[in-house]
Amino acid sequence: MTSAELSGWGRIEPTMAQVYEPAEPGQVTSLLPTAGGRGVIARGLGRSYNNAAQNDGGMVIVTTRMNRITDFDRAAGLLTCEAGASLEQLMTAALPSGWFVPVSPGTRQVTVGGAIAADVHGKNHHVAGSFAGHVRWFDLLRADGSQTRVTAQADPVTFWATAGGMGLTGIILRAAIQLSKVQTSRVRVDTVRAADIDQAMAYLSDTDDRYRYTVAWTDCLATGASLGRSVITSGDFASLSDLAPKDRRDPLAFRPTAWLGAPPGFPSGLVNKYTVAVANEAWYRKAPRRREGEIQTIGAFFHPLDGVRNWNRVYGPAGFRQYQYVVPFAHQEVVRKSLERISKARAPSFVTVLKRFGPGDEGYLSFPVPGWTLALDFPARTPGLAGLLRYLDELVVEAGGRVYLAKDSRVSADMLAHMYPRLEEFRKIRAELDPAGILGSDLSRRLGI
Ligand SMILES: Cc1cc2nc3c(=O)[nH]c(=O)nc-3n(C[C@H](O)[C@H](O)[C@H](O)COP(=O)(O)OP(=O)(O)OC[C@H]3O[C@@H](n4cnc5c(N)ncnc54)[C@H](O)[C@@H]3O)c2cc1C
């Protein structure tokens, strides 16, 4: 055990906790009864953006040493692992046999436990749904120390409260994941430039059913006729015949470790409205108007940010706030309104991503519902940011949308109730699973969940 300061990936609200890093699931069972009044929360690789995996003055159980892959049925693509195994580990283990994770967020540095607890989504949400839909079972350690193997069939309530439940129903110890079959480890990518937000949204709407993976990068600072100009990349795993002859010799190659490190001492203010405007212009200009069939690696297509270790440091010590919402398709005007307001405020979101979600799953607090999702990240010291995000909250709530808890840093408990209509049901289930309120995080205390 160590006493340590923890923050999320955005580095904005660090708090102190007693941090334990058990090497075996069995050790977690013996730790639980020792949690004091401030309770306990699980933590994976700390890639949620704010304080979902923090517990000020309490216990935090980091799962990353519990990361063994315990079984892999290469014929069926069913992989069983401890909850601290990362998606990168799953890829490394499974790609040589032609299997890939069913859903990958924009980083592969997340644990299986974190992927279930946030019910993460990826570029294929419109066809594959989110992560929990591919989980056959997980072993859950409940607050009373009992352990159960949970499936969506036998215990849908516990399963769907845990999927998206941000660690508040118990500690996931192990899970079995159904992987997806691939012929190669490369992606065949089409790139299109859209001159404004209307073109970008029309293109995404028209082409979703043609692509397994698709997403738009949007220039949040562009104004006027260029408002919301975007670069859209869409694709699917390449077949063997798509590869150049030299790549066909090792079609499932995956070499994830070639990382650069961001130097530690970036000052706050390096990411600002000027540098982001220049970067956006360069990115947009560099993209082809239209290019088809480019072969990219998994890293380049799915996880470009993983290419620089600790890229979150470029925002400097003040950190940054992520904000991601989804609004139903019927309220697509919210996207345009958001971009109008953001560009007018010159609020520099460095990574702005737009996508269409498909049907949501049964998760009581799972984020995705059918509609448009926009993800933004702003330096925490952006002038006027609090007012801008409040304005976005209101637009989102009026449209019947919601923000993503894995990224949230500031929504109020009142707002949350409007965003997640099944919140009360979740609270009741949580009270049954954990009557003494042993599980808790900085996020759950702020939101009263
Ligand atoms: C660069 C980047 C890109 C991202 N892109 C996406 C994206 O495209 N889509 C998306 O959905 N998300 C995305 N995310 C967010 C990320 O996928 C989620 O926050 C994920 O939960 C992080 O997993 P983790 O292992 O780091 O968990 P942590 O951040 O450590 O914890 C997240 C939550 O999971 C809970 N948890 C962790 N382990 C367990 C366990 N064993 N049992 C019970 N609860 C547990 C924690 O209590 C906490 O509530 C991105 C994050 C980054 C940094």
Side-chain angles (χ1 to χ4, degrees):
M1 186 274 288
T2 50
S3 191
E5 188 178 81
L6 298 174
S7 71
W9 193 243
R11 303 171 75 207
I12 48 172
E13 288 168 356
T15 51
M16 294 295 291
Q18 307 300 315
V19 179
Y20 293 79
E21 296 186 53
E24 309 276 344
Q27 293 170 3
V28 185
T29 319
S30 44
L31 275 174
L32 215 55
T34 69
R38 292 288 279 185
V40 57
I41 195 73
R43 180 179 176 98
L45 278 159
R47 264 19 180 227
S48 49
Y49 278 89
N50 192 34
N51 52 15
Q54 288 169 225
N55 186 16
D56 191 4
M59 181 190 281
V60 171
I61 297 183
V62 175
T63 62
T64 49
R65 287 174 71 208
M66 304 172 359
N67 64 354
R68 282 158 285 255
I69 292 173
T70 47
D71 191 39
F72 180 31
D73 178 338
R74 286 176 173 74
L78 188 68
L79 184 146
T80 307
C81 60
E82 293 173 349
S86 70
L87 295 194
E88 179 172 291
Q89 279 182 270
L90 267 53
M91 291 172 203
T92 305
L95 272 162
S97 323
W99 296 97
F100 187 63
V101 294
V103 168
S104 177
T107 172
R108 53 183 183 267
Q109 301 305 327
V110 309
T111 62
V112 165
I116 297 171
D119 196 9
V120 299
H121 58 271
K123 292 181 178 190
N124 59 349
H125 187 273
H126 59 294
V127 290
S130 42
F131 196 82
H134 307 270
V135 173
R136 285 281 183 85
W137 54 258
F138 52 79
D139 287 339
L140 186 70
L141 179 66
R142 292 170 38 166
D144 64 3
S146 64
Q147 209 187 111
T148 35
R149 180 152 297 183
V150 184
T151 67
Q153 294 71 35
D155 186 356
V157 171
T158 307
F159 189 93
W160 291 114
T162 303
M166 304 308 290
L168 298 170
T169 60
I171 300 184
I172 302 162
L173 299 177
R174 303 173 200 85
I177 319 293
Q178 178 60 57
L179 304 177
S180 309
K181 192 78 192 143
V182 295
Q183 234 185 60
T184 74
S185 60
R186 317 295 203 285
V187 189
R188 194 176 187 281
V189 183
D190 293 348
T191 304
V192 162
R193 243 163 54 171
D196 64 15
I197 191 61
D198 295 337
Q199 257 190 36
M201 292 173 85
Y203 181 85
L204 287 170
S205 305
D206 291 347
T207 57
D208 251 7
D209 55 357
R210 295 218 314 261
Y211 294 107
R212 186 159 185 79
Y213 300 99
T214 187
V215 79
W217 164 88
T218 299
D219 180 351
C220 73
L221 291 178
T223 53
S226 299
L227 183 87
R229 66 183 176 173
S230 300
V231 177
I232 300 159
T233 47
S234 317
D236 200 348
F237 274 93
S239 58
L240 203 54
S241 59
D242 291 326
L243 298 192
K246 70 171 176 37
D247 290 335
R248 275 185 223 162
R249 270 175 276 171
D250 193 3
L252 291 160
F254 178 61
R255 297 180 194 90
T257 44
W259 284 14
L260 296 168
F266 279 104
S268 271
L270 199 65
V271 178
N272 59 43
K273 60 187 175 185
Y274 305 107
T275 53
V276 170
V278 169
N280 285 358
E281 180 70 23
W283 178 258
Y284 185 76
R285 294 281 157 222
K286 162 179 133 317
R289 265 178 219 289
R290 181 176 284 269
R291 177 174 57 205
E292 292 189 351
E294 187 196 6
I295 301 298
Q296 292 189 2
T297 61
I298 285 173
F301 183 71
F302 289 101
H303 317 117
L305 293 168
D306 284 353
V308 183
R309 187 160 28 94
N310 297 337
W311 61 264
N312 55 345
R313 288 197 201 138
V314 303
Y315 294 86
F320 66 107
R321 286 185 196 270
Q322 264 265 344
Y323 185 88
Q324 183 173 2
Y325 70 68
V326 56
V327 289
F329 289 124
H331 289 280
Q332 63 173 35
E333 78 285 350
V334 169
V335 175
R336 171 176 269 282
K337 280 191 189 160
S338 312
L339 292 169
E340 279 168 356
R341 181 68 182 250
I342 294 163
S343 60
K344 193 165 166 223
R346 309 306 294 155
S349 161
F350 193 40
V351 183
T352 306
V353 173
L354 177 67
K355 178 169 173 61
R356 287 163 63 86
F357 278 155
D361 61 25
E362 315 262 311
Y364 292 85
L365 294 188
S366 280
F367 168 63
V369 288
W372 290 98
T373 182
L374 185 69
L376 301 150
D377 59 3
F378 299 103
R381 289 201 178 142
T382 303
L385 186 58
L388 170 66
L389 295 181
R390 258 197 318 275
Y391 168 81
L392 294 182
D393 286 345
E394 277 158 23
L395 276 183
V396 169
V397 165
E398 263 171 43
R402 54 180 62 171
V403 301
Y404 188 14
L405 292 182
K407 303 191 170 181
D408 176 52
S409 58
R410 29 150 315 281
V411 154
S412 67
D414 279 358
M415 277 283 183
L416 191 78
H418 293 293
M419 293 176 172
Y420 284 87
R422 301 181 75 195
L423 183 62
E424 259 325 296
E425 279 177 85
F426 178 82
R427 284 201 178 106
K428 283 196 189 112
I429 297 162
R430 182 155 137 67
E432 277 163 30
L433 289 171
D434 178 16
I438 288 170
L439 295 152
S441 63
D442 292 353
L443 177 88
S444 76
R445 277 188 288 271
R446 171 165 53 85
L447 293 174
I449 50 177

